[in-house]
Short mmCIF file of all heavy atoms in Angstrom, two decimals:
data_model
loop_
_atom_site.label_atom_id
_atom_site.label_comp_id
_atom_site.label_asym_id
_atom_site.label_seq_id
_atom_site.Cartn_x
_atom_site.Cartn_y
_atom_site.Cartn_z
N MET A 1 2.29 -6.84 -5.58
CA MET A 1 2.08 -6.84 -7.04
C MET A 1 3.27 -6.18 -7.74
O MET A 1 3.62 -5.05 -7.43
CB MET A 1 0.78 -6.07 -7.32
CG MET A 1 0.35 -6.03 -8.76
SD MET A 1 -0.17 -7.62 -9.42
CE MET A 1 0.36 -7.44 -11.11
N PRO A 2 3.90 -6.90 -8.66
CA PRO A 2 5.06 -6.33 -9.35
C PRO A 2 4.69 -5.12 -10.21
O PRO A 2 3.60 -5.10 -10.80
CB PRO A 2 5.54 -7.47 -10.25
CG PRO A 2 4.83 -8.68 -9.81
CD PRO A 2 3.57 -8.23 -9.14
N ASN A 3 5.56 -4.14 -10.25
CA ASN A 3 5.30 -3.01 -11.14
C ASN A 3 5.75 -3.35 -12.56
O ASN A 3 6.31 -4.40 -12.82
CB ASN A 3 5.97 -1.73 -10.60
CG ASN A 3 7.49 -1.84 -10.57
OD1 ASN A 3 8.09 -2.51 -11.41
ND2 ASN A 3 8.11 -1.20 -9.60
N MET A 4 5.52 -2.43 -13.46
CA MET A 4 5.77 -2.67 -14.89
C MET A 4 7.23 -3.04 -15.15
O MET A 4 7.52 -3.93 -15.96
CB MET A 4 5.34 -1.42 -15.67
CG MET A 4 5.08 -1.66 -17.13
SD MET A 4 3.88 -3.00 -17.44
CE MET A 4 4.30 -3.39 -19.13
N LYS A 5 8.14 -2.35 -14.47
CA LYS A 5 9.56 -2.61 -14.67
C LYS A 5 9.90 -4.04 -14.23
O LYS A 5 10.62 -4.77 -14.91
CB LYS A 5 10.38 -1.59 -13.86
CG LYS A 5 11.84 -1.59 -14.16
CD LYS A 5 12.48 -0.30 -13.67
CE LYS A 5 13.98 -0.38 -13.77
NZ LYS A 5 14.61 -0.88 -12.53
N GLU A 6 9.34 -4.44 -13.09
CA GLU A 6 9.58 -5.79 -12.58
C GLU A 6 8.96 -6.84 -13.50
O GLU A 6 9.53 -7.91 -13.70
CB GLU A 6 9.01 -5.91 -11.16
CG GLU A 6 9.80 -5.12 -10.12
CD GLU A 6 9.05 -4.90 -8.82
OE1 GLU A 6 7.80 -5.01 -8.79
OE2 GLU A 6 9.71 -4.60 -7.83
N ILE A 7 7.82 -6.52 -14.04
CA ILE A 7 7.16 -7.45 -14.97
C ILE A 7 8.03 -7.65 -16.20
O ILE A 7 8.22 -8.78 -16.66
CB ILE A 7 5.75 -6.94 -15.36
CG1 ILE A 7 4.83 -6.94 -14.13
CG2 ILE A 7 5.15 -7.80 -16.47
CD1 ILE A 7 3.52 -6.22 -14.33
N ARG A 8 8.58 -6.55 -16.70
CA ARG A 8 9.47 -6.67 -17.87
C ARG A 8 10.69 -7.52 -17.56
O ARG A 8 11.14 -8.33 -18.37
CB ARG A 8 9.91 -5.28 -18.36
CG ARG A 8 8.81 -4.52 -19.04
CD ARG A 8 9.31 -3.51 -20.06
NE ARG A 8 8.19 -2.76 -20.61
CZ ARG A 8 7.41 -3.19 -21.58
NH1 ARG A 8 7.63 -4.38 -22.15
NH2 ARG A 8 6.41 -2.46 -22.02
N THR A 9 11.24 -7.34 -16.37
CA THR A 9 12.40 -8.13 -15.95
C THR A 9 12.03 -9.61 -15.85
O THR A 9 12.76 -10.47 -16.34
CB THR A 9 12.93 -7.63 -14.57
OG1 THR A 9 13.20 -6.23 -14.66
CG2 THR A 9 14.21 -8.35 -14.18
N MET A 10 10.88 -9.88 -15.26
CA MET A 10 10.41 -11.27 -15.16
C MET A 10 10.28 -11.89 -16.54
O MET A 10 10.66 -13.04 -16.77
CB MET A 10 9.03 -11.32 -14.49
CG MET A 10 9.06 -11.04 -13.00
SD MET A 10 7.38 -11.00 -12.34
CE MET A 10 6.98 -12.76 -12.33
N ALA A 11 9.73 -11.12 -17.46
CA ALA A 11 9.54 -11.61 -18.83
C ALA A 11 10.90 -11.92 -19.47
O ALA A 11 11.09 -12.99 -20.06
CB ALA A 11 8.78 -10.58 -19.65
N GLN A 12 11.83 -10.99 -19.32
CA GLN A 12 13.16 -11.18 -19.90
C GLN A 12 13.82 -12.44 -19.35
O GLN A 12 14.43 -13.20 -20.09
CB GLN A 12 14.04 -9.97 -19.60
CG GLN A 12 13.90 -8.89 -20.67
CD GLN A 12 14.46 -7.55 -20.20
OE1 GLN A 12 15.17 -7.48 -19.20
NE2 GLN A 12 14.12 -6.49 -20.92
N GLN A 13 13.68 -12.64 -18.05
CA GLN A 13 14.28 -13.81 -17.42
C GLN A 13 13.70 -15.11 -17.95
O GLN A 13 14.31 -16.17 -17.84
CB GLN A 13 14.08 -13.75 -15.89
CG GLN A 13 14.95 -12.71 -15.22
CD GLN A 13 14.54 -12.43 -13.79
OE1 GLN A 13 13.44 -12.78 -13.37
NE2 GLN A 13 15.39 -11.78 -13.02
N ARG A 14 12.51 -15.03 -18.50
CA ARG A 14 11.86 -16.22 -19.05
C ARG A 14 12.00 -16.29 -20.56
O ARG A 14 11.31 -17.07 -21.22
CB ARG A 14 10.39 -16.24 -18.62
CG ARG A 14 10.22 -16.59 -17.17
CD ARG A 14 8.90 -16.14 -16.61
NE ARG A 14 8.77 -16.48 -15.20
CZ ARG A 14 9.35 -15.81 -14.20
NH1 ARG A 14 10.11 -14.77 -14.47
NH2 ARG A 14 9.19 -16.17 -12.95
N GLY A 15 12.84 -15.43 -21.11
CA GLY A 15 13.13 -15.46 -22.53
C GLY A 15 12.02 -14.91 -23.41
O GLY A 15 11.91 -15.25 -24.58
N ILE A 16 11.20 -14.05 -22.83
CA ILE A 16 10.12 -13.43 -23.60
C ILE A 16 10.61 -12.08 -24.13
O ILE A 16 11.17 -11.29 -23.38
CB ILE A 16 8.87 -13.23 -22.71
CG1 ILE A 16 8.35 -14.57 -22.20
CG2 ILE A 16 7.79 -12.46 -23.47
CD1 ILE A 16 7.50 -14.46 -20.95
N ARG A 17 10.39 -11.86 -25.40
CA ARG A 17 10.76 -10.56 -25.98
C ARG A 17 9.60 -9.60 -25.69
O ARG A 17 8.55 -9.70 -26.31
CB ARG A 17 10.98 -10.69 -27.48
CG ARG A 17 12.20 -11.53 -27.80
CD ARG A 17 12.24 -11.85 -29.27
NE ARG A 17 12.29 -10.61 -30.04
CZ ARG A 17 13.37 -10.20 -30.70
NH1 ARG A 17 14.45 -10.93 -30.69
NH2 ARG A 17 13.35 -9.08 -31.39
N SER A 18 9.83 -8.72 -24.76
CA SER A 18 8.73 -7.95 -24.21
C SER A 18 8.45 -6.63 -24.92
O SER A 18 7.51 -5.93 -24.58
CB SER A 18 8.98 -7.69 -22.73
OG SER A 18 10.05 -6.80 -22.58
N THR A 19 9.26 -6.30 -25.90
CA THR A 19 9.04 -5.02 -26.56
C THR A 19 7.68 -4.97 -27.24
O THR A 19 7.22 -5.95 -27.81
CB THR A 19 10.13 -4.73 -27.62
OG1 THR A 19 10.40 -5.95 -28.30
CG2 THR A 19 11.40 -4.21 -26.97
N ARG A 20 7.03 -3.86 -27.15
CA ARG A 20 5.74 -3.57 -27.76
C ARG A 20 4.57 -4.36 -27.15
O ARG A 20 3.47 -4.33 -27.67
CB ARG A 20 5.78 -3.82 -29.28
CG ARG A 20 6.85 -3.02 -29.98
CD ARG A 20 6.99 -3.49 -31.39
NE ARG A 20 5.86 -3.00 -32.20
CZ ARG A 20 5.94 -2.03 -33.08
NH1 ARG A 20 7.09 -1.44 -33.29
NH2 ARG A 20 4.89 -1.63 -33.77
N MET A 21 4.82 -5.07 -26.09
CA MET A 21 3.72 -5.78 -25.44
C MET A 21 3.14 -4.92 -24.34
O MET A 21 3.87 -4.30 -23.57
CB MET A 21 4.23 -7.08 -24.79
CG MET A 21 4.23 -8.27 -25.73
SD MET A 21 4.40 -9.77 -24.75
CE MET A 21 5.16 -10.84 -25.93
N GLY A 22 1.84 -4.91 -24.23
CA GLY A 22 1.18 -4.22 -23.13
C GLY A 22 1.27 -5.05 -21.87
O GLY A 22 1.70 -6.21 -21.92
N LYS A 23 0.88 -4.48 -20.77
CA LYS A 23 1.01 -5.15 -19.49
C LYS A 23 0.26 -6.49 -19.45
O LYS A 23 0.84 -7.51 -19.09
CB LYS A 23 0.47 -4.23 -18.39
CG LYS A 23 0.61 -4.78 -17.00
CD LYS A 23 0.11 -3.77 -16.00
CE LYS A 23 0.08 -4.38 -14.60
NZ LYS A 23 -0.41 -3.42 -13.61
N ALA A 24 -0.99 -6.48 -19.84
CA ALA A 24 -1.80 -7.70 -19.78
C ALA A 24 -1.20 -8.80 -20.67
O ALA A 24 -1.09 -9.96 -20.28
CB ALA A 24 -3.24 -7.42 -20.19
N GLU A 25 -0.77 -8.39 -21.86
CA GLU A 25 -0.18 -9.32 -22.82
C GLU A 25 1.09 -9.95 -22.26
O GLU A 25 1.34 -11.14 -22.39
CB GLU A 25 0.16 -8.50 -24.07
CG GLU A 25 -0.04 -9.21 -25.37
CD GLU A 25 0.33 -8.31 -26.53
OE1 GLU A 25 0.23 -7.06 -26.39
OE2 GLU A 25 0.73 -8.84 -27.57
N LEU A 26 1.87 -9.10 -21.61
CA LEU A 26 3.13 -9.51 -21.02
C LEU A 26 2.90 -10.51 -19.89
O LEU A 26 3.57 -11.54 -19.80
CB LEU A 26 3.81 -8.26 -20.47
CG LEU A 26 5.31 -8.17 -20.39
CD1 LEU A 26 5.96 -8.63 -21.69
CD2 LEU A 26 5.70 -6.73 -20.11
N ILE A 27 1.95 -10.22 -19.05
CA ILE A 27 1.65 -11.11 -17.92
C ILE A 27 1.17 -12.46 -18.44
O ILE A 27 1.58 -13.51 -17.95
CB ILE A 27 0.63 -10.47 -16.96
CG1 ILE A 27 1.27 -9.28 -16.25
CG2 ILE A 27 0.12 -11.50 -15.94
CD1 ILE A 27 0.32 -8.46 -15.39
N ARG A 28 0.36 -12.46 -19.48
CA ARG A 28 -0.12 -13.74 -20.04
C ARG A 28 1.04 -14.54 -20.63
O ARG A 28 1.09 -15.76 -20.53
CB ARG A 28 -1.20 -13.49 -21.09
CG ARG A 28 -2.50 -13.04 -20.48
CD ARG A 28 -3.61 -12.95 -21.50
NE ARG A 28 -4.66 -12.07 -20.99
CZ ARG A 28 -5.02 -10.92 -21.55
NH1 ARG A 28 -4.46 -10.52 -22.66
NH2 ARG A 28 -5.97 -10.19 -20.99
N ALA A 29 1.99 -13.83 -21.24
CA ALA A 29 3.16 -14.52 -21.80
C ALA A 29 3.98 -15.15 -20.68
O ALA A 29 4.49 -16.26 -20.83
CB ALA A 29 4.01 -13.53 -22.60
N ILE A 30 4.08 -14.46 -19.56
CA ILE A 30 4.80 -15.01 -18.40
C ILE A 30 4.07 -16.24 -17.88
O ILE A 30 4.67 -17.28 -17.59
CB ILE A 30 4.96 -13.95 -17.28
CG1 ILE A 30 5.90 -12.84 -17.74
CG2 ILE A 30 5.48 -14.58 -15.99
CD1 ILE A 30 5.93 -11.61 -16.83
N GLN A 31 2.75 -16.15 -17.79
CA GLN A 31 1.96 -17.29 -17.31
C GLN A 31 2.20 -18.51 -18.20
O GLN A 31 2.40 -19.63 -17.71
CB GLN A 31 0.47 -16.93 -17.29
CG GLN A 31 0.12 -15.92 -16.21
CD GLN A 31 -1.37 -15.62 -16.17
OE1 GLN A 31 -2.01 -15.39 -17.19
NE2 GLN A 31 -1.94 -15.61 -14.97
N ARG A 32 2.19 -18.31 -19.51
CA ARG A 32 2.41 -19.43 -20.44
C ARG A 32 3.82 -20.00 -20.28
O ARG A 32 4.01 -21.22 -20.25
CB ARG A 32 2.18 -18.99 -21.89
CG ARG A 32 0.72 -18.80 -22.24
CD ARG A 32 0.55 -18.66 -23.75
NE ARG A 32 1.20 -17.47 -24.27
CZ ARG A 32 0.62 -16.27 -24.36
NH1 ARG A 32 -0.61 -16.09 -23.95
NH2 ARG A 32 1.28 -15.24 -24.84
N ALA A 33 4.79 -19.09 -20.14
CA ALA A 33 6.19 -19.52 -19.99
C ALA A 33 6.36 -20.35 -18.72
O ALA A 33 7.25 -21.20 -18.64
CB ALA A 33 7.12 -18.31 -19.98
N GLU A 34 5.55 -20.11 -17.73
CA GLU A 34 5.64 -20.86 -16.48
C GLU A 34 4.79 -22.13 -16.51
O GLU A 34 4.69 -22.84 -15.53
CB GLU A 34 5.19 -19.97 -15.31
CG GLU A 34 6.17 -18.84 -15.06
CD GLU A 34 5.77 -17.95 -13.89
OE1 GLU A 34 4.57 -17.88 -13.58
OE2 GLU A 34 6.66 -17.34 -13.29
N GLY A 35 4.14 -22.38 -17.63
CA GLY A 35 3.34 -23.58 -17.76
C GLY A 35 1.96 -23.47 -17.12
O GLY A 35 1.30 -24.47 -16.85
N ASN A 36 1.54 -22.24 -16.88
CA ASN A 36 0.21 -22.02 -16.30
C ASN A 36 -0.78 -21.59 -17.38
O ASN A 36 -0.40 -21.28 -18.51
CB ASN A 36 0.29 -20.91 -15.25
CG ASN A 36 1.16 -21.31 -14.07
OD1 ASN A 36 1.05 -22.42 -13.56
ND2 ASN A 36 2.01 -20.40 -13.64
N TYR A 37 -2.03 -21.56 -17.00
CA TYR A 37 -3.04 -21.00 -17.90
C TYR A 37 -2.78 -19.50 -18.03
O TYR A 37 -2.44 -18.85 -17.06
CB TYR A 37 -4.44 -21.21 -17.34
CG TYR A 37 -4.89 -22.63 -17.37
CD1 TYR A 37 -5.10 -23.34 -16.20
CD2 TYR A 37 -5.10 -23.27 -18.60
CE1 TYR A 37 -5.52 -24.67 -16.23
CE2 TYR A 37 -5.51 -24.60 -18.63
CZ TYR A 37 -5.71 -25.29 -17.45
OH TYR A 37 -6.10 -26.59 -17.49
N ASP A 38 -2.98 -18.97 -19.21
CA ASP A 38 -2.80 -17.52 -19.38
C ASP A 38 -4.15 -16.84 -19.10
O ASP A 38 -4.79 -16.31 -19.99
CB ASP A 38 -2.24 -17.17 -20.76
CG ASP A 38 -2.99 -17.84 -21.89
OD1 ASP A 38 -3.85 -18.70 -21.63
OD2 ASP A 38 -2.71 -17.48 -23.04
N CYS A 39 -4.50 -16.90 -17.84
CA CYS A 39 -5.84 -16.50 -17.43
C CYS A 39 -5.90 -15.07 -16.93
O CYS A 39 -6.97 -14.61 -16.51
CB CYS A 39 -6.32 -17.45 -16.33
SG CYS A 39 -5.14 -17.62 -14.98
N TYR A 40 -4.79 -14.36 -16.97
CA TYR A 40 -4.80 -12.99 -16.47
C TYR A 40 -5.86 -12.14 -17.17
O TYR A 40 -5.93 -12.10 -18.40
CB TYR A 40 -3.42 -12.34 -16.67
CG TYR A 40 -3.38 -10.91 -16.20
CD1 TYR A 40 -3.20 -10.60 -14.87
CD2 TYR A 40 -3.53 -9.86 -17.10
CE1 TYR A 40 -3.19 -9.30 -14.43
CE2 TYR A 40 -3.51 -8.55 -16.68
CZ TYR A 40 -3.34 -8.28 -15.34
OH TYR A 40 -3.33 -6.98 -14.91
N GLY A 41 -6.69 -11.49 -16.39
CA GLY A 41 -7.71 -10.60 -16.94
C GLY A 41 -9.03 -11.30 -17.24
O GLY A 41 -9.92 -10.72 -17.84
N THR A 42 -9.15 -12.56 -16.81
CA THR A 42 -10.38 -13.30 -17.11
C THR A 42 -11.26 -13.52 -15.87
O THR A 42 -12.32 -14.12 -15.97
CB THR A 42 -10.08 -14.68 -17.73
OG1 THR A 42 -9.39 -15.47 -16.77
CG2 THR A 42 -9.24 -14.56 -18.99
N ALA A 43 -10.81 -13.05 -14.71
CA ALA A 43 -11.56 -13.31 -13.48
C ALA A 43 -12.67 -12.28 -13.28
O ALA A 43 -12.60 -11.41 -12.43
CB ALA A 43 -10.62 -13.31 -12.28
N THR A 44 -13.68 -12.40 -14.07
CA THR A 44 -14.79 -11.46 -13.95
C THR A 44 -15.53 -11.69 -12.63
O THR A 44 -15.58 -12.80 -12.13
CB THR A 44 -15.78 -11.61 -15.12
OG1 THR A 44 -16.08 -12.99 -15.27
CG2 THR A 44 -15.20 -11.09 -16.41
N GLU A 45 -16.07 -10.67 -12.11
CA GLU A 45 -16.76 -10.69 -10.81
C GLU A 45 -15.84 -11.17 -9.69
O GLU A 45 -16.28 -11.76 -8.70
CB GLU A 45 -18.04 -11.54 -10.88
CG GLU A 45 -19.05 -10.90 -11.81
CD GLU A 45 -20.28 -11.76 -12.01
OE1 GLU A 45 -20.54 -12.64 -11.18
OE2 GLU A 45 -20.98 -11.54 -13.00
N GLU A 46 -14.54 -10.93 -9.87
CA GLU A 46 -13.54 -11.25 -8.85
C GLU A 46 -13.62 -12.69 -8.39
O GLU A 46 -13.47 -13.00 -7.22
CB GLU A 46 -13.65 -10.27 -7.67
CG GLU A 46 -13.60 -8.83 -8.14
CD GLU A 46 -13.20 -7.85 -7.03
OE1 GLU A 46 -13.19 -8.27 -5.88
OE2 GLU A 46 -12.91 -6.69 -7.36
N GLU A 47 -13.88 -13.57 -9.33
CA GLU A 47 -13.96 -14.98 -8.98
C GLU A 47 -12.74 -15.72 -9.49
O GLU A 47 -12.52 -15.81 -10.69
CB GLU A 47 -15.22 -15.59 -9.58
CG GLU A 47 -16.39 -15.54 -8.62
CD GLU A 47 -17.63 -16.17 -9.19
OE1 GLU A 47 -17.51 -17.25 -9.81
OE2 GLU A 47 -18.71 -15.57 -9.04
N CYS A 48 -11.95 -16.24 -8.55
CA CYS A 48 -10.81 -17.07 -8.89
C CYS A 48 -10.38 -17.81 -7.65
O CYS A 48 -10.29 -17.21 -6.58
CB CYS A 48 -9.67 -16.21 -9.42
SG CYS A 48 -8.23 -17.23 -9.77
N ASP A 49 -10.12 -19.09 -7.77
CA ASP A 49 -9.76 -19.88 -6.58
C ASP A 49 -8.26 -19.91 -6.34
O ASP A 49 -7.79 -20.52 -5.40
CB ASP A 49 -10.34 -21.29 -6.67
CG ASP A 49 -9.86 -22.05 -7.91
OD1 ASP A 49 -9.00 -21.50 -8.63
OD2 ASP A 49 -10.33 -23.16 -8.15
N GLN A 50 -7.49 -19.23 -7.18
CA GLN A 50 -6.03 -19.20 -7.00
C GLN A 50 -5.65 -18.07 -6.04
O GLN A 50 -5.19 -17.01 -6.45
CB GLN A 50 -5.33 -19.00 -8.35
CG GLN A 50 -5.70 -20.02 -9.40
CD GLN A 50 -5.23 -21.42 -9.03
OE1 GLN A 50 -4.09 -21.64 -8.64
NE2 GLN A 50 -6.13 -22.39 -9.13
N GLU A 51 -5.84 -18.33 -4.76
CA GLU A 51 -5.61 -17.31 -3.75
C GLU A 51 -4.17 -16.78 -3.75
O GLU A 51 -3.93 -15.64 -3.38
CB GLU A 51 -5.92 -17.88 -2.35
CG GLU A 51 -7.31 -18.46 -2.19
CD GLU A 51 -8.37 -17.40 -1.95
OE1 GLU A 51 -8.00 -16.26 -1.66
OE2 GLU A 51 -9.57 -17.74 -2.07
N GLU A 52 -3.24 -17.63 -4.13
CA GLU A 52 -1.83 -17.25 -4.04
C GLU A 52 -1.32 -16.55 -5.29
O GLU A 52 -0.15 -16.23 -5.38
CB GLU A 52 -0.97 -18.50 -3.80
CG GLU A 52 -1.30 -19.25 -2.53
CD GLU A 52 -1.14 -18.38 -1.29
OE1 GLU A 52 -0.11 -17.70 -1.19
OE2 GLU A 52 -2.06 -18.37 -0.45
N CYS A 53 -2.18 -16.34 -6.24
CA CYS A 53 -1.74 -15.77 -7.52
C CYS A 53 -1.12 -14.39 -7.34
O CYS A 53 -1.68 -13.51 -6.69
CB CYS A 53 -2.92 -15.67 -8.48
SG CYS A 53 -2.48 -14.86 -10.02
N LEU A 54 0.02 -14.24 -7.96
CA LEU A 54 0.79 -13.00 -7.89
C LEU A 54 0.05 -11.83 -8.53
O LEU A 54 0.24 -10.68 -8.18
CB LEU A 54 2.12 -13.25 -8.63
CG LEU A 54 3.20 -12.20 -8.68
CD1 LEU A 54 3.71 -11.89 -7.28
CD2 LEU A 54 4.35 -12.72 -9.53
N TRP A 55 -0.81 -12.13 -9.47
CA TRP A 55 -1.45 -11.09 -10.30
C TRP A 55 -2.85 -10.75 -9.84
O TRP A 55 -3.53 -9.95 -10.46
CB TRP A 55 -1.50 -11.55 -11.75
CG TRP A 55 -0.26 -12.18 -12.24
CD1 TRP A 55 -0.05 -13.49 -12.52
CD2 TRP A 55 0.99 -11.52 -12.50
NE1 TRP A 55 1.23 -13.69 -12.93
CE2 TRP A 55 1.89 -12.51 -12.93
CE3 TRP A 55 1.41 -10.19 -12.40
CZ2 TRP A 55 3.20 -12.21 -13.26
CZ3 TRP A 55 2.71 -9.90 -12.74
CH2 TRP A 55 3.60 -10.90 -13.16
N ARG A 56 -3.27 -11.42 -8.82
CA ARG A 56 -4.67 -11.37 -8.39
C ARG A 56 -5.31 -9.98 -8.40
O ARG A 56 -6.33 -9.76 -9.06
CB ARG A 56 -4.77 -12.01 -7.01
CG ARG A 56 -6.16 -12.41 -6.62
CD ARG A 56 -6.14 -13.21 -5.33
NE ARG A 56 -7.46 -13.40 -4.80
CZ ARG A 56 -8.29 -14.37 -5.16
NH1 ARG A 56 -7.89 -15.27 -6.05
NH2 ARG A 56 -9.50 -14.46 -4.67
N GLU A 57 -4.67 -9.08 -7.67
CA GLU A 57 -5.24 -7.73 -7.51
C GLU A 57 -5.46 -7.04 -8.85
O GLU A 57 -6.54 -6.54 -9.15
CB GLU A 57 -4.25 -6.93 -6.67
CG GLU A 57 -4.87 -5.86 -5.81
CD GLU A 57 -3.80 -5.21 -4.97
OE1 GLU A 57 -3.17 -5.91 -4.14
OE2 GLU A 57 -3.56 -4.03 -5.18
N ASP A 58 -4.42 -7.02 -9.66
CA ASP A 58 -4.51 -6.37 -10.96
C ASP A 58 -5.41 -7.13 -11.91
O ASP A 58 -6.08 -6.55 -12.75
CB ASP A 58 -3.12 -6.23 -11.59
CG ASP A 58 -2.47 -4.93 -11.17
OD1 ASP A 58 -2.93 -4.34 -10.18
OD2 ASP A 58 -1.51 -4.52 -11.85
N CYS A 59 -5.39 -8.45 -11.77
CA CYS A 59 -6.24 -9.28 -12.62
C CYS A 59 -7.70 -8.89 -12.44
O CYS A 59 -8.43 -8.72 -13.42
CB CYS A 59 -6.04 -10.75 -12.28
SG CYS A 59 -7.14 -11.85 -13.16
N PHE A 60 -8.12 -8.73 -11.20
CA PHE A 60 -9.50 -8.36 -10.93
C PHE A 60 -9.83 -7.01 -11.56
O PHE A 60 -10.87 -6.82 -12.17
CB PHE A 60 -9.76 -8.33 -9.43
CG PHE A 60 -9.79 -9.70 -8.79
CD1 PHE A 60 -9.81 -9.83 -7.42
CD2 PHE A 60 -9.80 -10.84 -9.57
CE1 PHE A 60 -9.86 -11.09 -6.82
CE2 PHE A 60 -9.83 -12.11 -8.99
CZ PHE A 60 -9.86 -12.23 -7.61
N ARG A 61 -8.91 -6.08 -11.40
CA ARG A 61 -9.12 -4.75 -11.96
C ARG A 61 -9.24 -4.83 -13.49
O ARG A 61 -10.12 -4.24 -14.09
CB ARG A 61 -7.95 -3.84 -11.57
CG ARG A 61 -8.35 -2.41 -11.36
CD ARG A 61 -7.20 -1.60 -10.81
NE ARG A 61 -6.73 -2.08 -9.52
CZ ARG A 61 -5.45 -2.06 -9.11
NH1 ARG A 61 -4.52 -1.61 -9.92
NH2 ARG A 61 -5.11 -2.50 -7.92
N GLU A 62 -8.33 -5.58 -14.07
CA GLU A 62 -8.28 -5.72 -15.52
C GLU A 62 -9.54 -6.44 -16.05
O GLU A 62 -10.07 -6.10 -17.10
CB GLU A 62 -7.04 -6.53 -15.90
CG GLU A 62 -6.65 -6.47 -17.34
CD GLU A 62 -5.61 -5.39 -17.61
OE1 GLU A 62 -4.73 -5.18 -16.77
OE2 GLU A 62 -5.69 -4.78 -18.65
N SER A 63 -9.99 -7.43 -15.30
CA SER A 63 -11.16 -8.20 -15.72
C SER A 63 -12.40 -7.32 -15.78
O SER A 63 -13.19 -7.39 -16.70
CB SER A 63 -11.41 -9.35 -14.74
OG SER A 63 -10.30 -10.19 -14.67
N VAL A 64 -12.54 -6.46 -14.78
CA VAL A 64 -13.66 -5.53 -14.76
C VAL A 64 -13.55 -4.57 -15.94
O VAL A 64 -14.50 -4.33 -16.66
CB VAL A 64 -13.70 -4.76 -13.42
CG1 VAL A 64 -14.74 -3.66 -13.47
CG2 VAL A 64 -14.02 -5.72 -12.29
N ALA A 65 -12.33 -4.08 -16.16
CA ALA A 65 -12.09 -3.14 -17.26
C ALA A 65 -12.46 -3.76 -18.59
O ALA A 65 -13.10 -3.11 -19.43
CB ALA A 65 -10.63 -2.71 -17.27
N GLU A 66 -12.12 -5.02 -18.78
CA GLU A 66 -12.42 -5.67 -20.06
C GLU A 66 -13.90 -5.92 -20.24
O GLU A 66 -14.40 -5.93 -21.35
CB GLU A 66 -11.63 -6.98 -20.17
CG GLU A 66 -10.17 -6.73 -20.48
CD GLU A 66 -9.42 -7.95 -20.92
OE1 GLU A 66 -10.03 -9.02 -21.10
OE2 GLU A 66 -8.19 -7.84 -21.07
N GLU A 67 -14.55 -6.10 -19.11
CA GLU A 67 -15.99 -6.33 -19.16
C GLU A 67 -16.74 -5.09 -19.64
O GLU A 67 -17.68 -5.17 -20.41
CB GLU A 67 -16.48 -6.70 -17.76
CG GLU A 67 -17.43 -7.86 -17.75
CD GLU A 67 -17.83 -8.20 -16.32
OE1 GLU A 67 -17.41 -7.51 -15.38
OE2 GLU A 67 -18.56 -9.17 -16.17
N ILE A 68 -16.27 -3.94 -19.15
CA ILE A 68 -16.91 -2.68 -19.49
C ILE A 68 -16.69 -2.33 -20.95
O ILE A 68 -17.59 -1.86 -21.62
CB ILE A 68 -16.38 -1.55 -18.55
CG1 ILE A 68 -16.83 -1.84 -17.13
CG2 ILE A 68 -16.87 -0.19 -19.02
CD1 ILE A 68 -16.11 -1.03 -16.07
N ARG A 69 -15.51 -2.60 -21.44
CA ARG A 69 -15.11 -2.22 -22.80
C ARG A 69 -16.05 -2.73 -23.88
O ARG A 69 -16.63 -3.78 -23.82
CB ARG A 69 -13.71 -2.75 -23.09
CG ARG A 69 -12.89 -1.78 -23.88
CD ARG A 69 -11.48 -2.31 -24.05
NE ARG A 69 -10.73 -2.20 -22.80
CZ ARG A 69 -9.76 -3.05 -22.44
NH1 ARG A 69 -9.45 -4.06 -23.20
NH2 ARG A 69 -9.11 -2.89 -21.33
S1 SF4 B 1 -6.26 -14.11 -10.31
FE1 SF4 B 1 -6.92 -16.05 -11.16
S2 SF4 B 1 -7.62 -15.58 -13.24
FE2 SF4 B 1 -6.37 -13.88 -12.53
S3 SF4 B 1 -4.32 -14.32 -13.24
FE3 SF4 B 1 -4.49 -15.10 -11.18
S4 SF4 B 1 -5.05 -17.22 -11.44
FE4 SF4 B 1 -5.49 -16.19 -13.36
#
């Protein structure tokens, strides 16, 4: 799982202006830039069939967090 610095670098490489964006927002912007669904943080109950997803681990954590909020 990429750390925050790596995520920012990934975003920059895809032409995303990453200033003032939070981690989840940034990851979704990267997903869109790659032509994917911006589904980060939506896998509630750890359900997602994208086994190879780079964000999987954090996505599950974030999804639970959003559910509680
Ligand atoms: S784990 Fe699934 S829902 Fe979460 S970002 Fe990856 S593909 Fe999207």
Side-chain angles (χ1 to χ4, degrees):
M1 183 68 212
N3 64 33
M4 200 54 201
K5 190 162 171 268
E6 290 163 340
I7 294 169
R8 287 207 184 279
T9 305
M10 287 176 75
Q12 271 164 14
Q13 287 167 344
R14 286 159 181 78
I16 298 158
R17 293 170 60 109
S18 69
T19 40
R20 303 170 75 107
M21 272 196 206
K23 183 177 173 180
E25 216 180 333
L26 209 47
I27 291 173
R28 288 186 201 117
I30 292 169
Q31 290 183 314
R32 286 193 296 272
E34 292 181 334
N36 295 316
Y37 289 114
D38 50 352
C39 51
Y40 178 81
T42 64
T44 49
E45 295 174 21
E46 307 201 348
E47 268 181 43
C48 178
D49 58 6
Q50 304 295 312
E51 305 279 347
E52 301 301 313
C53 176
L54 184 63
W55 316 109
R56 197 171 169 85
E57 210 176 298
D58 271 18
C59 174
F60 288 171
R61 213 173 300 145
E62 195 95 37
S63 301
V64 172
E66 284 194 6
E67 224 178 2
I68 294 165
R69 219 175 287 149

